[in-house]
């Protein structure tokens, strides 16, 4: 049974690459994929993507205003932003200083991403460096024929003001990228592996590793179909799961969606990208059952593509639910936050350029 049988394209006003655009993605050889980790969270998560036999460090670039964090990065390529203005000490939550720092060092980032066919950006939003730099890097890297996918971590619940800044930043990111995968630190659950952002870390790293492996090593028509499904809408959610021995794919999917890493609701998804890594590839009949499970979970016909990366490793699933738009998925939530913020600080929130009176958030490690 051909994979294409399970790919549906819901109609609607979503951006998808045309056949002509997709044909520019080189089919004669694997696409060059760059992974860009920006700011403290982006640099740390990039280290997890590279470590333990992950993605090759030479295709990764760490970008930061913080020299100390940058020096610990495992990436082969490093760009220190705005050394002249912040002396390698970070921007302490100021989005406007972060933007200026990036602009001063722009050419060093663009020369790296300009040479790639696909760019994947990894970043935590809410601080100054990542929130300012990631949408601009995405704009520079993205062309008609060079898609950009981002994985963005949103702040924890207790980082109140940062969540507001991050959600506004997410709107810019959603506009700048072909697909922005959201992992929310606030979805950490007491008593589960979600504590202290572990769930966000795991899902962000799984998304970047699985996408990089699938997009770079699979047949070009599957690469194109993965991109098509990712581009059904600006935002995506991600789920990851280590499969137990003898566990069926459908059971694994049911298990996976019990631990969401964002509050994007299943019923609003328009597409699904199912990426499997393990010793035995997914068969077509398993994939068909997986599709049925997903469409009954979401209650609708989905765009669907699956891909297996065969490796002598424990079987792992990464499920991306795609096609969410910003306004209906998060818009009302952002409005509510804006109102709360205005009441609390007795000031209008329109001007995000002005630095807010924030403590620099330090993630506590267990
Ligand atoms: N999941 C996860 N989230 C993190 C981690 N470190 C930071 N974050 C989140 O990412 C947000 C942004 O923090 P940073 O990445 O340190 O900020 P930055 O972009 O370096 O900006 P400045 O420090 O202001 O220069 C924080 O508010 C946290 O919610 C991490 O290791 N894992
Ligand atoms: Mg920082």
């Amino acid at each position: 049974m051909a994979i294409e049988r399970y790919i549906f394209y819901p109609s609607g006003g979503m951006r998808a690459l045309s056949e002509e655009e997709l044909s520019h993605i080189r089919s004669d050889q694997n696409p060059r994929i760059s992974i860009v980790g920006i700011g403290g969270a982006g640099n740390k998560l990039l280290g997890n993507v590279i470590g333990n036999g992950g993605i090759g460090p030479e295709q990764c670039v760490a970008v930061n205003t913080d020299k100390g964090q940058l020096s610990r990065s495992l990436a082969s390529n490093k760009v220190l932003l705005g050394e002249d203005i912040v002396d390698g000490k970070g921007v302490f939550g100021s989005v406007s200083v972060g933007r200026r720092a990036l602009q001063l060092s722009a050419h060093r980032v663009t020369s790296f991403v300009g040479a790639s066919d696909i760019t994947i950006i990894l970043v935590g939003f809410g601080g100054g460096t990542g929130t300012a730099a990631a949408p601009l890097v995405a704009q520079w890297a993205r062309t008609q024929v060079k898609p950009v996918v981002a994985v963005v971590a949103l702040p924890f619940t207790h980082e109140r003001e940062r969540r507001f800044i991050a959600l506004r930043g997410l709107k810019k990111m959603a506009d700048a990228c072909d697909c922005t995968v959201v992992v929310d630190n606030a979805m950490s659950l007491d008593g589960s592996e979600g504590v202290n952002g572990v769930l966000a870390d795991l899902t962000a790293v799984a998304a970047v590793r699985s996408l990089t492996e699938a997009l770079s090593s699979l047949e070009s028509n599957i690469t194109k179909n993965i991109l098509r499904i990712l581009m059904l809408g600006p935002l995506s959610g991600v789920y990851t799961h280590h499969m137990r021995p003898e566990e069926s794919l459908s059971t694994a999917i049911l298990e996976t969606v019990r631990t969401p890493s964002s509050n994007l609701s299943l019923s609003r998804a328009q597409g699904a990208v199912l990426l499997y890594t393990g010793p035995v590839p997914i068969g077509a009949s398993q994939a068909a059952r997986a599709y049925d499970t997903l469409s009954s979970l979401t209650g609708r016909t989905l765009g669907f593509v699956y891909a297996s990366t065969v490796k002598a490793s424990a079987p792992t699933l990464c499920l991306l639910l795609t096609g969410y738009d910003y306004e209906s998925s998060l818009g009302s939530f952002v409005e509510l936050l804006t109102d709360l913020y205005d009441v609390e600080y007795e000031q209008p929130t329109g001007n995000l350029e002005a630095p807010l009176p924030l403590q620099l958030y330090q993630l506590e490690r267990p």
Side-chain angles (χ1 to χ4, degrees):
M1 227 177 292
I3 290 165
E4 275 69 17
R5 176 143 178 214
Y6 303 108
I7 296 167
F8 303 91
Y9 302 110
S11 54
M14 296 155 297
R15 182 184 188 277
L17 289 184
S18 68
E19 286 301 326
E20 194 198 339
E21 287 167 346
L22 283 164
S23 70
H24 284 80
I25 296 174
R26 302 176 312 167
S27 52
D28 54 331
Q29 53 184 290
N30 293 339
R32 281 168 302 191
I33 302 182
S34 295
I35 305 157
V36 188
I38 308 178
N43 281 194
K44 193 205 110 180
L45 293 171
L46 187 63
N48 296 357
V49 166
I50 297 169
N52 298 322
I55 304 302
E58 65 291 337
Q59 68 185 114
C60 299
V61 58
V63 176
N64 211 334
T65 52
D66 186 318
K67 201 172 184 173
Q69 288 173 341
L70 199 59
S71 68
R72 291 191 291 278
S73 171
L74 298 178
S76 303
N77 311 282
K78 301 181 188 192
V79 176
L80 179 61
L81 301 178
E83 194 174 10
D84 294 344
I85 52 173
V86 296
D87 197 23
K89 294 192 171 71
V91 302
F92 298 95
S94 167
V95 177
S96 57
V97 180
R99 189 172 299 119
R100 204 144 55 83
L102 176 69
Q103 278 159 350
L104 292 172
S105 319
H107 58 286
R108 295 170 57 212
V109 183
T110 47
S111 66
F112 189 86
V113 293
S116 343
D117 298 311
I118 300 172
T119 302
I120 299 180
I121 295 175
L122 192 48
V123 63
F125 269 12
T129 304
T131 314
L136 288 170
V137 172
Q139 277 169 23
W140 296 337
R142 184 183 179 202
T143 71
Q144 282 285 328
V145 293
K146 293 188 174 190
V148 176
V149 177
V151 178
V152 174
L154 298 179
F156 294 90
T157 314
H158 64 264
E159 301 182 275
R160 295 166 57 79
E161 305 86 352
R162 283 194 166 219
R163 276 186 75 73
F164 169 78
I165 293 168
L167 284 164
R168 282 287 193 86
L170 187 62
K171 172 82 177 87
K172 285 194 177 160
M173 203 59 180
D175 293 340
C177 297
D178 291 283
C179 173
T180 300
V181 180
V182 180
V183 298
D184 191 344
N185 285 323
M187 295 300 282
S188 297
L189 307 169
D190 284 346
S192 78
E193 62 181 359
V195 170
N196 290 334
V198 174
L199 175 65
D201 285 12
L202 283 178
T203 46
V205 170
V208 175
R209 278 192 177 189
S210 305
L211 276 173
T212 308
E213 284 172 348
L215 292 171
S216 57
S217 63
L218 291 163
E219 300 161 39
S220 64
N221 68 329
I222 302 183
T223 300
K224 290 174 186 178
N225 284 329
I226 291 173
L227 290 170
R228 278 198 183 101
I229 303 298
L230 289 175
M231 291 175 195
L232 287 174
L235 299 179
S236 291
V238 58
Y239 304 78
T240 188
H241 177 66
H242 290 291
M243 290 173 74
R244 291 188 296 272
E246 310 302 322
E247 189 177 37
S248 75
L249 197 54
S250 294
T251 312
I253 289 171
L254 291 172
E255 199 58 43
T256 293
V257 298
R258 285 157 59 102
T259 320
S261 61
S262 73
N263 59 6
L264 297 173
S265 81
L266 290 175
S267 63
R268 288 189 187 274
Q270 305 202 57
V273 178
L274 185 61
L275 302 172
Y276 164 93
T277 308
V280 185
I282 297 174
S285 57
Q286 276 181 300
R289 281 196 295 277
Y291 174 77
D292 289 342
T293 305
L294 284 165
S295 69
S296 49
L297 277 169
T298 56
R300 53 171 33 182
T301 302
L302 294 168
F304 178 58
V305 60
Y306 70 93
S308 308
T309 302
V310 179
K311 260 193 182 178
S313 59
T316 309
L317 271 193
C318 175
L319 170 68
L320 292 139
L321 290 183
T322 70
Y324 293 92
D325 72 284
Y326 182 88
E327 287 310 326
S328 62
S329 307
L330 294 169
S332 56
F333 184 42
V334 175
E335 268 171 39
L336 176 71
L337 267 179
T338 310
D339 291 347
L340 287 175
Y341 189 95
D342 286 348
V343 170
E344 196 161 326
Y345 290 89
E346 294 174 356
Q347 61 179 346
T349 46
N351 181 14
L352 275 184
E353 310 303 312
L356 293 161
L358 304 178
Q359 296 297 313
L360 177 66
Y361 172 72
Q362 299 291 334
L363 187 72
E364 288 172 16
R365 294 199 169 76

